[in-house]
Amino acid sequence: MNATIRRRRPGGRRGLALALLAAAAAGALRPAPVRAATDFASSAIGTAGSEFLLFDIGARGIGMGGAYTAVSDDAYSLYWNPAGLAKVPRLSAAMMYSMYIEEISYQSAAYAQRLNDSAVIAGGFRYQDLGSIAHTDNSANPIGSGTFQPRNYVFEVGWGQTVYDLSDSELDIDMGVTGRWIHSSMVESADGYGGDLGLQGHFYNNVLPYDLGAVVQNVGVGQKFDRTRDTLPTRARFAGAVRPARGLTVSLEGILPINNSPAAAVGGEYVWEIDKTVKAMMRGGFNSQNINDLDVMSGLSMGLGLTVADFTFDYAFVPMGVLGSSTHRFSISFNLPAKLSHRYRER
């Protein structure tokens, strides 16, 4: 976990900042008028392609039930909310390994580098291996070698920026954008292009310091395997997080996917500072997205973390309900703290 940084600049415009956050949330809630009436409902399940884009990455956010849009602050912000990249102090590198059900595995790596006092650039890679699948014709006769091995690849770049014209000693506003290229290799191959746009606001001088976040994900051109080009699994997320006690963060999030009904997520994290270089974390969360398809247990998640010096090791456990299995996510990150500067101070 990297230290949260606070920038001090004079002359903020709080009203405009709040309006910007409200506009982002309102945009996330408004369905596009040209789309079918079944969008943003359970009847839309299965109508979007490239759903591997929705596989969460980073054991910290997964352990918090996915309620991470307002909290993200490391290289994995490329996936959760690119505005979180602006909170990377100097650099952040992260990797995750995840075994899903059966032979499915999912790996990711991301790197973020601060360019100057206000901007951070990042790049990342995700890879999904679906294992071996029988390749047959309509009569169940083997074709060729008899198997094929589907693979999905995601290459992405991102930019996070602090908006100093909207920030002051009581408020920080960060914005970010992610662009990605999607490639799938199955029996045939297909490409797609998409991106995210995110926003975070950090409010300090209150009884309970809090963060707000909003992001629109996977907007772009879907993959085309045969005659029809798929729709990307676009979704909007808007969230808030508070810190009611030292070391405790509680986050609440609303999720609006184009290919499913709206969902909610709640998560918490508690950090024990053992000494200046060692911290231990405990996390828990609940996400309602899959409880109708699986069961209530599938919405639960738990996680642990350990920070030693600049390295953080995270683990998340997610039961799969009626599928009768559980998934284990492991990630490691390296987060270099900020150099001493009069423009930064730790909160």
Side-chain angles (χ1 to χ4, degrees), residues 53-54 56 79 215-217 233-237 255-258:
L53 292 174
L54 304 181
D56 292 341
Y79 168 79
V215 63
V216 178
Q217 300 174 309
T234 304
R235 64 182 176 184
R237 308 174 73 123
I255 307 167
L256 188 64
I258 198 172

Side-chain angles (χ1 to χ4, degrees), residues 36-320:
T38 55
D39 287 348
F40 308 100
S42 59
S43 57
I45 294 175
T47 60
S50 309
E51 293 214 0
F52 56 87
L53 292 174
L54 304 181
F55 277 56
D56 292 341
I57 62 174
R60 183 189 178 198
I62 294 171
M64 295 178 65
Y68 202 56
T69 296
V71 182
S72 63
D73 59 2
D74 56 14
Y76 280 134
S77 298
L78 267 174
Y79 168 79
W80 295 99
N81 184 353
L85 293 171
K87 292 195 287 184
V88 171
R90 285 173 64 187
L91 67 85
S92 174
M95 296 179 292
M96 187 195 77
Y97 176 79
S98 173
M99 281 302 300
Y100 207 58
I101 58 176
E102 298 298 334
E103 299 180 13
I104 301 174
S105 65
Y106 201 56
Q107 286 72 244
S108 68
Y111 178 84
Q113 175 71 56
R114 179 165 290 278
L115 299 179
N116 52 48
D117 281 350
S118 63
V120 174
I121 192 170
F125 170 72
R126 291 185 257 163
Y127 167 69
Q128 184 187 49
D129 183 347
L130 300 178
S132 297
I133 297 178
H135 189 194
T136 64
D137 59 21
N138 291 337
S139 300
N141 298 312
I143 297 177
S145 63
T147 63
F148 68 102
Q149 296 180 315
R151 303 287 189 271
N152 295 309
Y153 306 86
V154 181
F155 301 87
E156 49 201 346
V157 295
W159 181 277
Q161 178 84 36
T162 296
V163 186
Y164 279 136
D165 286 343
L166 301 178
S167 302
D168 59 23
S169 61
E170 300 181 0
L171 166 69
D172 281 349
I173 295 294
D174 299 323
M175 301 183 69
V177 61
T178 297
R180 60 179 56 95
W181 172 53
I182 309 154
H183 176 76
S184 294
S185 176
M186 299 189 184
V187 177
E188 300 180 0
S189 297
D191 296 318
Y193 308 89
D196 307 341
L197 180 63
L199 179 71
Q200 284 184 343
H202 315 290
F203 301 81
Y204 303 116
N205 290 350
N206 298 279
V207 176
L208 292 179
Y210 63 96
D211 303 316
L212 299 178
V215 63
V216 178
Q217 300 174 309
N218 303 321
V219 178
V221 179
Q223 296 174 298
K224 182 179 180 181
F225 285 95
D226 189 10
R227 300 179 181 179
T228 303
R229 187 171 295 278
D230 293 334
T231 300
L232 286 181
T234 304
R235 64 182 176 184
R237 308 174 73 123
F238 47 98
V242 297
R243 296 172 178 82
R246 182 176 178 83
L248 177 62
T249 300
V250 178
S251 181
L252 179 65
E253 185 154 331
I255 307 167
L256 188 64
I258 198 172
N259 59 335
N260 207 335
S261 54
V266 61
E269 176 185 63
Y270 188 78
V271 180
W272 288 275
E273 187 169 339
I274 300 171
D275 61 35
K276 290 184 178 180
T277 61
V278 180
K279 298 178 182 178
M281 291 77 74
M282 182 174 67
R283 307 179 182 109
F286 182 81
N287 191 313
S288 69
Q289 186 70 75
N290 296 319
I291 61 175
N292 291 328
D293 303 320
L294 301 176
D295 59 26
V296 173
M297 290 297 296
S298 68
L300 297 174
S301 61
M302 294 167 282
L304 299 172
L306 178 67
T307 295
V308 180
D310 298 327
F311 288 90
T312 297
F313 306 88
D314 292 311
Y315 164 76
F317 169 81
V318 182
M320 297 302 294

